[in-house]
Amino acid sequence: MSTLHLAVALDGTGRHPASWREPGARPGELFTARYWADVVAEAEAGLLDFVTFEDGLALQSSSPVAPDDRTDRVRGRLDAVLTAARVAPLTRHIGLVPTVTATHTEPFHVSKAIATLDHVSKGRAGLLVRVSGLPYEARHFGRRSFPVPVGELTEEATDHVEVVRRLWDSWEDDAEIRDVATGRFVDRAKLHHIDFEGPHFSVRGPSITPRPPQGQPLVTAPSGVLHGSADLLYVTPRDADEARSAVARAAGGPAHVFGDLTVFLDEDGPAAAGRLARLDELAGGPYDDDAATFTGTPAQLADLLQDWREAGLSGFRLRPGTIADDLPAITRALVPELRRRGAFRPGYGAGTLRGLLGLDRPGNRYSDRPAA
Amino acid sequence: MSSKPLKRIHLAAHFPGVNNTTVWSDPAAGSHIDFDSYVHFARTAERAKFDFLFLAEGLRLREQGGQLYDLDVVGRPDTFTVLAALAAVTEHLGLTGTINSTFNEPYEVARQFASLDHLSEGRAAWNVVTSWDAFTGENFRRGGFLPREDRYSRAQEFLATATELFDSWDGTEIVADPAAGTFLRDARAGAFAHRGRHFDIEGRFNVPRSPQGRPVFFQAGDSDEGREFAASTADAIFGRYGTLDEGRAFYADVKGRLATYGRTHEQLKILPAATFVLGDTDAEAHELAHEVRRLQVSGQTAIKYLEHVWNRDLSSYDPDGPLPEVDPEAGENTIALGRASVRQFSDPLATAREWRELARAKNLSIRELVIATTARQTFVGSASTVAASINDLVQADAADGFVLVPHLTPGGLDAFADTVVPLLQERGVFRADYEGSTLRDHLGLAVPGGQAGARPAGRRAAAS
């Protein structure tokens, strides 16, 4: 039985809109570092590969066209990159993957921020690329008229990631020489202008931040957000057959394809379903998500994950319905169950996120380029 | 003689960065990128009970004569990311970062600073700077469009817009009552609309009010416009400290402008950057300071510096020889790109004439001339001499304190923390321990806005 990888999606008190009302959800602490430190520590105790931090450049809304003015749901978020950086020194092994919106941000800023997260965490950084077609989010920036076609957003995000990646490579690993004899701090032949030209960006480079420890931090994205270029894609199959076709569609692209699943777990299976029903009642309607929703026991979930792993997915990003309940169920019940079955590694073997995922440290596109 | 009560001194530390004051060739010099260096530096500053750590920013590697500049420290990490990580390894130290207002958008920067203030429990500060040059703009999608004359107007509007975003939550909206099912008290929390010349934006800000209401605002810049901007808006101003008289004149001028804006002297702290060299005796410190200057200004560095004024390639000149007889190249200075110092020479011909006279009179080589005319160490001497100088300057209203710039990474602050700080504490002019938890507490600044001291509900819940 082949082993699998596990990540957890962190968003407020959990994926379910009423999750903040559960006992132990700590909704009043969402804007404190302690909450995030505790949650990521729990994920690390469970030996998970990485956590993602959800983010956006607008207030959460249940409506796709406008803020919804609801007062019965969690509203407000801290910046994901800063939250990841804040917990980095408190953790040692787990990968930290904040969401970055490619639509309204500068790739130069994003590149140095993620490179720095990689320096701060000693090789555990990644990013989750998001695009935004929301007109009300665009009005926070006021530069462009929305809506714009989805195709244009994905082209732009693809270029954004290309710029970010070139900037990571714009310093060769040994560019800093500190040569006292000649007085040179860097070897300028090992610093590179990236000279990216596209319809949305032209960026000259080089980066101001030296190449990060992983060389290239992990680029992750939901399926469809980028053309190629991601190391890891998230897909949302409903069953093993859909998992198989999602993997087939991604063939030749990313190194990993992870299945996204929203989970409500309890040692008593009906209790998990009961909890979802109770939360739905509080929320005023049935839970609806782009990913499949699982309710049941950790052992049942382990069965499903192994089944979908056999279908070709290399790992899973679980979205805890309620972080207070479902994250500990993942770390303290699901993970031990998978390990008993030999389907999950017994400990953190590698020091970097790429290492955990079995990926090599990539070469540098500039230094490793054959001579012209 | 009047018995004016002694002023309390404010002290901060600037992480050594990209400039020729940083002596990277010293065997004790460490990495300026590894996070461990920042941890060492920040913990030393906190051990010394400093008000804050200051981190500068760079957005393009400097170039000179068409090539990347390779003589000084090159490269920096991202300011926000380092400060957020430092919040995890310190408890009291303020975390001040330079963030450019030209190549950023108010919504994004405001939420980054509000997040940093939450994640550090009220220790964030923003040094607002502007840039207008197309050289830096080549790294951004906005490009280099900003006309120079718009420099302060954009910065002012950027800060005003960010303040509107910070103020769009008053700090009482989050009730997070699970039983009642009420997370927000106010359905319109975070609503804002700004219509101005530089920004036309509206919507909902998505970070609730942070512990300090908004980050502490710092301003640098010595022009008349810069002083006015600082007097109207800033909580603290960086400056360069020259002489006692210059310091007092600057201090009096800037504090004198506050009344126009209905502000008191206490609402703006003047904190010039200062360097220091310590020794067991004054003589030893002066000797060491001379050595440090020689390390900071190599022959090549001196030639490169001269090129800023001459605006032409001087690489064929001998740094140990006399100044060039050839005059500076007229017109726009294009030899050095991405360097602020170039702009201080508004009349290169006059500067060249002045320097030639000085070099002739004192028989100085190029390198000696540069050492003589560029900034020297502000404080040189034994710990007691330096402690006395700092105190004298603050009590004489030449400053409210200093932002110390050590020449060594990351240990450059250690001796100051161990020897000078205890002497200032003995005199009762520097805190023995932190008396508050936020940077505003350290600087004696009130939380702005109507809800004085308001904290998000979560913070109240967490504190109880």
Side-chain angles (χ1 to χ4, degrees):
Chain A
M1 180 64 67
S2 54
T3 61
L4 52 81
H5 295 279
L6 275 183
V8 160
L10 301 178
D11 182 11
T13 55
R15 189 76 179 173
H16 196 287
S19 60
W20 69 272
R21 300 180 66 176
E22 285 291 275
R26 302 163 71 184
E29 292 180 52
L30 283 175
F31 305 100
T32 67
R34 187 183 40 224
Y35 174 81
W36 294 98
D38 288 352
V39 168
V40 178
E42 178 67 35
E44 186 170 63
L47 308 178
L48 303 188
D49 290 86
F50 63 90
V51 291
T52 61
F53 300 85
E54 189 60 47
D55 205 3
L57 294 168
L59 205 60
Q60 300 94 321
S61 176
S62 54
S63 155
V65 293
D68 61 9
D69 290 353
R70 290 184 79 132
T71 58
D72 64 336
R73 296 186 172 185
V74 168
R75 293 293 179 257
R77 265 192 190 119
L78 298 180
D79 180 86
V81 175
L82 294 189
T83 305
R86 176 63 177 78
V87 300
L90 308 175
T91 52
R92 286 189 58 195
H93 303 287
I94 195 162
L96 303 168
V97 180
T99 298
V100 167
T101 303
T103 307
H104 302 292
T105 59
E106 294 282 355
F108 191 87
H109 289 317
V110 168
S111 174
K112 66 183 161 66
I114 301 299
T116 301
L117 181 63
D118 207 42
H119 282 288
V120 164
S121 66
K122 304 195 190 317
R124 296 184 283 127
L127 81 168
L128 193 166
V129 181
R130 164 185 182 265
V131 299
S132 168
L134 301 171
Y136 64 90
E137 192 164 329
R139 281 196 290 275
H140 294 163
F141 292 84
R143 288 198 309 236
R144 300 149 75 185
S145 49
F146 266 61
V148 299
V150 173
E152 191 181 321
L153 294 175
T154 57
E155 295 291 344
E156 181 185 44
T158 303
D159 283 358
H160 194 288
V161 168
E162 174 65 15
V163 171
V164 166
R165 284 188 179 281
R166 285 194 202 181
L167 287 168
W168 286 337
D169 275 351
S170 66
W171 287 60
E172 295 185 29
D173 289 316
D174 51 357
E176 187 181 311
I177 52 172
R178 296 191 184 227
D179 187 29
V180 176
T182 61
R184 294 177 306 146
F185 183 82
V186 286
D187 177 356
R188 61 166 76 102
K190 297 184 175 198
L191 300 173
H192 304 275
H193 290 115
I194 68 162
D195 287 326
F196 181 89
E197 297 283 346
H200 301 282
F201 316 103
S202 65
V203 178
R204 176 96 168 108
S207 178
I208 59 153
T209 306
R211 195 159 190 249
Q214 294 185 100
Q216 294 272 318
L218 190 77
V219 175
T220 79
S223 174
V225 163
L226 298 176
H227 298 297
S229 75
D231 298 302
L232 186 153
L233 275 190
Y234 308 102
V235 297
T236 52
R238 300 270 157 179
D239 55 37
D241 282 340
E242 282 189 23
R244 206 166 285 115
S245 44
V247 171
R249 271 196 304 278
H256 284 282
V257 180
F258 272 37
D260 269 11
L261 266 174
T262 303
V263 297
F264 297 84
L265 298 172
D266 200 293
E267 285 305 335
D268 175 4
R275 181 153 55 88
L276 173 58
R278 186 156 46 79
L279 287 170
D280 282 351
E281 196 174 331
L282 286 171
Y287 177 66
D288 183 32
D289 204 351
D290 59 326
T293 301
F294 174 90
T295 60
T297 68
Q300 288 167 336
L301 180 58
D303 289 343
L304 182 146
L305 299 186
Q306 285 190 289
D307 191 25
W308 291 17
R309 172 75 186 92
E310 288 305 300
L313 294 172
S314 53
F316 300 89
R317 184 173 67 143
L318 304 178
R319 307 170 176 179
T322 303
I323 286 176
D325 297 315
D326 299 307
L327 178 61
I330 290 166
T331 55
R332 299 172 196 193
L334 173 70
V335 165
E337 176 65 26
L338 287 169
R339 287 171 64 192
R340 263 194 297 279
R341 302 177 184 199
F344 193 69
R345 59 182 147 66
Y348 282 112
T352 68
L353 176 54
R354 295 188 76 91
L356 281 179
L357 293 168
L359 305 177
D360 291 336
R361 185 176 192 272
N364 186 307
R365 78 189 62 201
Y366 299 104
S367 57
D368 298 350
R369 197 163 47 181
Chain B
M1 199 173 140
S2 71
S3 59
K4 201 172 121 189
L6 286 178
K7 279 166 71 182
R8 281 294 201 98
I9 295 169
H10 296 281
L11 289 176
H14 184 331
F15 188 88
V18 175
N19 50 58
N20 72 309
T21 58
T22 303
V23 178
W24 55 262
S25 57
D26 191 301
S31 171
H32 63 296
I33 300 293
D34 283 353
F35 186 58
D36 295 346
S37 291
Y38 290 87
V39 174
H40 178 101
F41 192 79
R43 285 189 171 153
T44 307
E46 184 159 275
R47 173 161 64 82
K49 317 298 177 196
F50 277 23
D51 292 53
F52 60 91
L53 171 147
F54 173 69
L55 197 54
E57 185 193 37
L59 298 175
R60 177 130 187 215
L61 297 186
R62 298 177 302 176
E63 292 183 9
Q64 189 155 342
Q67 289 189 301
L68 291 167
Y69 195 78
D70 60 0
L71 298 180
D72 300 340
V73 167
V74 178
R76 325 167 184 251
D78 175 66
T79 304
F80 274 126
T81 311
V82 169
L83 294 180
L86 285 176
V89 298
T90 54
E91 275 181 52
H92 294 93
L93 190 66
L95 301 165
T96 303
T98 296
I99 293 294
N100 190 293
S101 65
T102 308
F103 306 111
N104 281 294
E105 296 299 323
Y107 192 93
E108 192 180 8
V109 169
R111 83 181 289 266
Q112 286 167 316
F113 269 114
S115 296
L116 181 63
D117 205 42
H118 279 290
L119 292 167
S120 64
E121 297 186 283
R123 299 188 276 141
W126 177 10
N127 179 41
V128 187
V129 299
T130 56
S131 171
W132 65 88
D133 62 307
F135 176 72
T136 307
E138 282 177 11
N139 282 335
F140 297 96
R141 56 168 119 197
R142 279 192 164 282
F145 77 98
L146 185 65
R148 183 171 178 157
E149 57 272 23
D150 280 347
R151 187 180 173 199
Y152 281 107
S153 80
R154 180 176 161 105
Q156 202 127 32
E157 191 177 328
F158 196 107
L159 213 52
T161 309
T163 300
E164 289 166 29
L165 296 171
F166 295 131
D167 289 347
S168 67
W169 293 71
D170 72 11
T172 63
E173 293 89 346
I174 297 179
V175 292
D177 181 346
T182 307
F183 187 81
L184 289 184
R185 181 183 49 74
D186 177 3
R188 297 289 297 155
F192 70 92
H194 176 94
R195 313 235 173 278
R197 196 172 134 232
H198 298 279
F199 306 105
D200 181 358
I201 62 175
E202 63 174 352
R204 305 284 293 276
F205 190 50
N206 69 348
V207 184
R209 194 167 183 82
S210 71
Q212 294 190 106
R214 58 171 172 77
V216 173
F217 290 157
F218 286 81
Q219 232 281 294
D222 195 27
S223 66
D224 188 61
E225 268 180 304
R227 292 180 189 204
E228 207 60 27
F229 180 28
S232 68
T233 316
D235 299 307
I237 184 165
F238 288 132
R240 226 192 309 232
Y241 179 75
T243 62
L244 173 65
D245 286 344
E246 283 167 19
R248 293 184 72 167
F250 179 79
Y251 190 96
D253 176 72
V254 175
K255 296 251 179 178
R257 297 173 190 237
L258 289 164
T260 320
Y261 301 98
R263 306 176 71 203
T264 67
H265 279 208
E266 283 63 47
Q267 287 176 286
L268 179 70
K269 306 299 175 191
I270 297 179
L271 306 171
T275 55
F276 62 91
V277 176
L278 296 168
D280 287 342
T281 64
D282 288 355
E284 189 192 303
H286 281 282
E287 201 172 308
L288 193 56
H290 181 70
E291 271 174 53
V292 169
R293 288 301 289 149
R294 298 276 298 174
L295 291 169
Q296 289 170 331
V297 185
S298 69
Q300 292 178 79
T301 300
I303 295 288
K304 293 291 183 191
Y305 184 77
L306 218 58
E307 288 184 350
H308 294 177
V309 176
W310 262 257
N311 190 27
R312 61 201 303 165
D313 182 357
L314 301 175
S315 54
S316 61
Y317 285 83
D318 175 6
D320 296 319
L323 262 62
E325 287 304 325
V326 59
D327 278 334
E329 187 81 40
E332 195 192 348
N333 192 320
T334 52
I335 192 153
L337 297 167
R339 300 192 76 126
S341 59
V342 169
R343 292 187 281 269
Q344 75 200 37
F345 305 111
S346 51
D347 186 350
L349 272 172
T351 303
R353 211 176 306 125
E354 199 182 300
W355 284 2
R356 282 193 199 114
E357 279 164 27
L358 179 65
R360 257 193 298 274
K362 296 195 168 181
N363 194 26
L364 302 176
S365 68
I366 288 175
R367 187 180 181 192
E368 289 164 341
L369 180 276
V370 171
I371 288 176
T373 55
T374 55
R376 64 209 72 197
Q377 280 81 12
T378 321
F379 301 113
V380 178
S382 66
S384 63
T385 299
V386 168
S389 303
I390 289 174
N391 188 41
D392 289 350
L393 290 172
V394 171
Q395 304 310 335
D397 283 346
D400 292 312
F402 291 93
V403 180
L404 298 167
V405 192
H407 60 263
L408 262 186
T409 309
L413 210 57
D414 298 5
F416 191 98
D418 292 332
T419 64
V420 180
V421 167
L423 295 175
L424 293 171
Q425 289 167 329
E426 273 172 32
R427 287 167 184 257
V429 291
F430 189 66
R431 66 175 72 85
D433 201 353
Y434 291 106
E435 287 148 15
S437 59
T438 69
L439 178 54
R440 284 187 186 280
D441 292 339
H442 307 336
L443 291 170
L445 301 168
V447 172
Q451 298 286 335
R455 296 282 194 276
R459 208 161 295 277
R460 280 200 302 272
S464 64

